[in-house]
Amino acid sequence: MPELIYHGHATFELTTDDGTRIVIDPFLDDNPRCAVSVEDFDELDYILCTHGHGDHFADAIPLAKRTGATLISTFEIVNFVGTQGVENAHPLHIGGGYTFPFGYVKMTPALHGGVVAGDDGSHTTVPGGFWMDLDGKRLYHAGDTALLMDMQLLRGRVDVALLPIGDNFTMGPEDAARAVEFIEPEVVVPMHYNTFDIIQQDPEEFRSLVGDRAEVRILDPGESLSF
Ligand code: NI
Ligand code: MN
């Protein structure tokens, strides 16, 4: 069974059945809720970044350089990290997926701020999320997003959904509960809350809003989930 460790905010560490180690949205060293740092990772295979905002991308380049892991993100972010000395990277874009040795990864739409990297703005990109099929276990990391009608396209296709509930920059608990109605996952893990003062939320409120539509697993940083 794939194992998912929550490191706070939107950062997750995933180990697949074949032992592939993946970090999604690495925000480690400056993440007030994260107990691990870049230096704790010696062996890492892939880094997935939903978008280039610092709270999802801050440690992507240091982690890639330290471990040689392949960074998977949008075409523009991959081009940008190439200018920063990252050697291994794979570009995807919204609606497109690719079969990697550990499974299939597809980028999903997210409604959120664009990102400009590089002095000339040449690496402007849109934010996304990731849908993964890991030997039949399907994981969805929504990234930073508003509630989207497009999430209905995922109905019945997600076993574990990682959804932001912090409000202010992303969906809050009510919209995230509506996303659960759209997606109908087996399990939902709330993320992107309680990292900063303006995204304080009670995940128990989210749990009660979801009701019996899905199992809500509230993970403290460092806790894990096998699925
Ligand atoms: Ni963001
Ligand atoms: Mn964010």
Side-chain angles (χ1 to χ4, degrees):
M1 293 193 291
E3 188 192 33
L4 194 65
I5 304 173
Y6 185 45
H7 288 307
H9 205 57
T11 306
F12 290 84
E13 182 181 344
L14 174 66
T15 304
T16 63
D17 287 343
D18 67 0
T20 302
R21 291 186 69 198
I22 300 162
V23 171
I24 308 172
D25 281 1
F27 178 40
L28 306 172
D29 293 5
D30 293 331
N31 178 349
R33 302 196 70 214
C34 181
V36 297
S37 65
V38 170
E39 291 186 353
D40 293 317
F41 289 89
D42 290 320
E43 292 180 8
L44 185 67
D45 300 298
Y46 292 91
I47 300 162
L48 274 61
C49 287
T50 59
H51 64 299
H53 285 157
D55 57 322
H56 301 256
F57 183 72
D59 292 307
I61 292 172
L63 209 47
K65 287 184 176 174
R66 177 181 174 84
T67 64
T70 298
L71 194 148
I72 302 172
S73 192
T74 58
F75 175 78
E76 295 83 7
I77 286 179
V78 163
N79 279 350
F80 173 68
V81 301
T83 70
Q84 306 298 304
V86 172
E87 293 181 358
N88 302 315
H90 182 108
L92 290 176
H93 234 305
I94 310 299
Y98 184 82
T99 302
F100 295 90
F102 63 89
Y104 182 79
V105 180
K106 181 178 183 176
M107 284 205 83
T108 57
L111 187 57
H112 185 63
V115 176
V116 179
D119 295 337
D120 58 359
S122 58
H123 304 292
T124 302
T125 195
V126 294
F130 290 106
W131 181 87
M132 285 175 253
D133 187 335
L134 309 165
D135 268 337
K137 299 291 181 67
R138 296 145 324 159
L139 176 68
Y140 171 52
H141 186 301
D144 280 358
T145 186
L147 179 67
L148 279 179
M149 292 293 283
D150 305 55
M151 290 172 178
Q152 296 183 11
L153 298 171
L154 296 172
R155 175 171 294 148
R157 295 169 182 265
V158 174
D159 296 298
V160 177
L162 315 176
L163 301 180
I165 67 160
D167 218 341
N168 195 79
F169 296 118
T170 66
M171 295 189 288
E174 288 187 14
D175 280 354
R178 293 188 71 194
V180 171
E181 285 184 47
F182 287 174
I183 300 165
E184 298 181 0
E186 290 287 320
V187 173
V188 58
V189 178
M191 65 172 180
H192 211 276
Y193 67 99
N194 290 358
T195 323
F196 311 112
D197 288 346
I198 54 175
I199 56 171
Q200 292 293 327
Q201 295 294 337
D202 179 1
E204 293 294 347
E205 183 199 343
F206 173 65
R207 192 203 297 276
S208 63
L209 289 166
V210 170
D212 58 6
R213 292 187 187 90
E215 178 191 348
V216 177
R217 289 286 297 270
I218 297 168
L219 299 179
D220 284 328
E223 287 189 330
S224 66
L225 161 73
S226 294
F227 63 99

